[in-house]
């Protein structure tokens, strides 16, 4: 008998009720994966690094630079377990972070679209709220610059329709950009 019989379809035997599975999860215990962008349209699973390839009943994931070292850290939320922090201890790479502050748009700039160019490579980020199940991603927009020490160009399309163009901006730091045109370093 199908566990979901009666859900989304009818049969003469269907009772329309779920089978009691007790303490078990519907999505089961699955091995976590963590993909590295190879820069050529392919990705490599690197979850084995720092023990990220755990087998747990995952529910939520937040991504943020919690220690402000330019490397994105992970906070995992598993069913019936306390949150777990996985600190990124990767190697030396260059990065740039943007904190967007709306003045005509909403203050958190939710809905803003940012394009950044470093060398001949473009990256795009969008500011989202409520971006994950039982989790929230950082509103700080993070860009990996690889070997580049600065961003050549930054283009911001604000929710109000305003546009801001910046560049070059030094890497390895966080910048606050306000919709009215203000740009200032926020530290490191």
């Amino acid at each position: 008998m199908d566990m979901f019989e009666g859900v989304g379809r009818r049969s003469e035997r269907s009772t329309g009720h779920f089978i009691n599975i007790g303490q078990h999860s519907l999505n089961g215990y699955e091995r976590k994966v963590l993909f590295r962008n190879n820069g050529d349209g392919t990705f490599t699973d690197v979850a084995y690094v720092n023990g990220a390839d755990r087998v747990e009943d995952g529910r939520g994931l937040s991504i943020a630079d919690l220690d402000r070292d330019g490397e994105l850290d992970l906070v995992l939320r598993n069913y019936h377990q306390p949150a777990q922090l996985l600190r990124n201890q990767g190697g030396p790479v260059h990065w740039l972070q943007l904190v967007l502050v709306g003045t005509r748009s909403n203050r958190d700039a939710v809905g803003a679209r940012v394009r950044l160019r470093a060398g001949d490579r473009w990256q795009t980020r969008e500011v989202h709220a409520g971006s994950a199940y039982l989790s929230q991603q950082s509103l700080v927009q993070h860009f990996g610059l690889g070997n580049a020490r600065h961003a050549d160009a930054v283009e911001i399309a604000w929710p109000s329709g305003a546009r801001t163009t910046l560049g070059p901006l030094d890497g390895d730091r966080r910048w606050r950009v306000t919709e009215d045109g203000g740009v200032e370093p926020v530290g490191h």
Side-chain angles (χ1 to χ4, degrees), residues 23-40:
Q23 296 280 332
H24 303 286
S25 168
L26 288 174
N27 62 325
Y29 286 77
E30 299 174 12
R31 184 164 302 283
K32 307 265 190 284
V33 294
L34 178 64
F35 292 105
R36 179 185 64 215
N37 185 338
N38 297 323
D40 61 1

Side-chain angles (χ1 to χ4, degrees), residues 130-143:
S131 53
Y133 178 70
L134 297 177
S135 308
Q136 170 63 42
Q137 308 310 324
S138 173
L139 295 174
V140 176
Q141 301 306 295
H142 178 94
F143 296 88

